[in-house]
């Protein structure tokens, strides 16, 4: 039996579109055992596809194929607290789990770099899978079939407030609203802030995140798809968040908060209960996960 735990992730972080991501303290787990046939069950009552189209199962089967190993089937038991289609890396968590589970069952023929590259190929970009696998804050680029990724652990002086709505937003829909071309000034605006974002995390100058998480490439187009999103941004600014951004493609909105600022959460909870514009959102407090996915045999 092999058990894999994979953290939730938040990608983009405002300016770092398709390149920056962080790992959060919310985890999916999957336990694997080889068998003849297929058995997929949920340990926490959440819905999981039980056929060969299950993303974890399909991913694991692909690892066997790429490693030229015979595949007869798998028993998989999943626990899935990471909500689906909410911008918290649920699909990346499944892909990472499938690759790591199959790799462990096969006695680890794939290196860590090969695991990351395969996960990126399957996901399409590395901004979620890289922090899911490596933990912490990760900047990554996919170039000529190889992923280049650098990780920095996140200090415990900051925590993350996730405003998760009760509705989904599919990545395909969120990408469809993005323009094919952007003004030169918008590209420069993001380039400077993405560089500042990476430097702020790497030097632990989190006070710069109020500027570094600003964006002109995707958030202004996606925010209208998130009912109440404007109100969440306004609330976070009022309550003293260091930075606020759409998590991944949305609809979750993530705020960076000083760990000592406990009042942020009590005041935000009160606002969610009192303001009708915020009624679709629930508030969750996460810390950074600096380890990434783990495998237990």
């Amino acid at each position: 039996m092999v058990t894999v735990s994979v953290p939730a992730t938040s990608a983009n972080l405002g300016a770092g579109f398709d390149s920056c991501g962080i790992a959060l303290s919310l985890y999916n787990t999957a336990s694997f055992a080889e068998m003849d046939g297929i058995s997929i069950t949920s340990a926490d009552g959440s819905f999981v596809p039980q056929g060969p189209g299950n993303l974890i199962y399909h991913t694991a089967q692909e690892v066997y194929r790429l490693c030229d190993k015979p595949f007869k089937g798998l028993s998989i038991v999943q626990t899935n607290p990471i909500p689906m289609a909410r911008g918290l890396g649920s699909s990346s968590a499944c892909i990472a789990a499938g690759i790591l589970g199959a790799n462990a069952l096969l006695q680890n023929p794939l290196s860590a770099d090969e695991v990351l590259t395969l996960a990126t190929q399957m996901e399409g970009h590395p901004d979620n899978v890289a922090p899911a696998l490596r933990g912490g804050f990760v900047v990554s680029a996919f170039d000529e079939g190889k992923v280049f990724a650098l990780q920095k652990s996140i200090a415990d002086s900051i925590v993350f407030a996730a405003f998760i709505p009760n509705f989904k937003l599919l990545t395909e829909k969120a990408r469809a609203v993005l323009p094919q071309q952007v003004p030169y000034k918008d590209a420069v605006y993001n380039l400077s802030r993405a560089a500042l974002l990476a430097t702020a995390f790497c030097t632990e100058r989190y006070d710069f995140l109020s500027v570094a998480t600003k964006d002109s490439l995707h958030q202004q187009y996606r925010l209208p798809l998130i009912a109440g999103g404007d109100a969440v941004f306004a609330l976070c600014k009022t309550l003293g968040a260091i930075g606020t951004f759409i998590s991944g493609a949305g609809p979750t909105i993530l705020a960076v908060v000083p760990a000592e600022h406990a009042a942020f959460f009590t005041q935000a909870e009160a606002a969610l209960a009192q303001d009708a514009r915020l009624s679709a959102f629930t508030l969750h407090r996460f810390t950074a996960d600096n380890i990434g996915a783990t495998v237990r045999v």
Side-chain angles (χ1 to χ4, degrees):
M1 176 75 72
V2 170
T3 300
V4 182
S5 175
V6 186
T9 51
S10 180
N12 300 329
L13 315 186
F17 184 62
D18 275 5
S19 59
C20 296
I22 54 175
L24 302 170
S25 58
L26 178 67
Y27 305 89
N28 280 3
T29 61
S31 295
F32 300 78
E34 292 182 323
M35 65 173 290
D36 290 338
I38 178 172
S39 172
I40 303 174
T41 57
S42 170
D44 62 355
S46 59
F47 169 77
V48 294
Q50 296 182 333
N54 177 287
L55 185 54
I56 295 179
Y57 185 91
H58 171 75
T59 300
Q61 185 177 25
E62 182 66 7
V63 172
Y64 274 73
R65 186 189 69 80
L66 291 171
C67 293
D68 197 25
K69 300 294 184 179
F71 181 81
K72 296 182 179 180
L74 290 174
S75 168
I76 302 175
V77 180
Q78 297 179 226
T79 304
N80 293 338
I82 302 174
M84 297 176 65
R86 297 299 201 284
L88 290 169
S90 61
S91 64
S92 290
C94 288
I95 290 170
I99 295 173
L100 290 173
N103 196 45
L105 289 172
L106 293 173
Q107 305 302 312
N108 299 309
L110 300 178
S111 68
D113 286 345
E114 289 170 332
V115 166
L116 177 56
T117 295
L118 177 58
T120 299
Q121 290 170 341
M122 299 189 74
E123 176 72 355
H125 39 83
D127 54 346
N128 280 113
V129 293
L133 290 166
R134 302 284 173 87
F137 168 76
V138 183
V139 180
S140 50
F142 194 33
D143 187 72
E144 296 183 357
K146 182 179 178 181
V147 180
F148 295 82
L150 293 173
Q151 185 262 16
K152 173 68 170 68
S153 293
I154 299 174
D156 59 8
S157 58
I158 59 172
V159 295
F160 301 90
F163 294 81
I164 305 176
N166 58 12
F167 55 85
K168 298 179 179 181
L169 177 57
L170 297 178
T171 301
E172 293 81 0
K173 183 176 180 179
R175 283 199 175 266
V177 300
L178 301 182
Q180 294 298 307
Q181 295 181 326
V182 297
Y184 186 83
K185 64 180 179 62
D186 286 349
V188 174
Y189 182 98
N190 261 63
L191 179 63
S192 62
R193 282 155 183 79
L196 186 63
L197 178 73
T199 306
F201 271 105
C202 289
T203 60
E204 298 182 8
R205 286 299 306 271
Y206 302 126
D207 52 311
F208 278 75
L209 294 179
S210 60
V211 173
T213 54
K214 291 182 178 179
D215 159 82
S216 63
L217 295 185
H218 67 104
Q219 292 193 142
Q220 61 185 307
Y221 306 105
R222 288 171 164 172
L223 196 55
L225 300 177
I226 306 172
D230 283 328
V232 174
F233 269 81
L235 175 65
C236 292
K237 183 176 181 180
T238 299
L239 296 183
I242 301 172
T244 307
F245 47 86
I246 296 173
S247 182
T252 293
I253 294 172
L254 204 69
V256 186
V257 181
E260 61 189 18
H261 188 9
F264 178 96
F265 291 90
T266 56
Q267 293 169 0
E269 288 278 13
L272 295 186
Q274 296 168 5
D275 191 334
R277 298 173 301 169
L278 303 171
S279 61
F281 294 87
T282 56
L283 177 60
H284 301 259
R285 182 186 185 277
F286 298 129
T287 57
D289 173 276
N290 288 317
I291 298 174
T294 59
V295 180
R296 185 174 72 253
V297 179

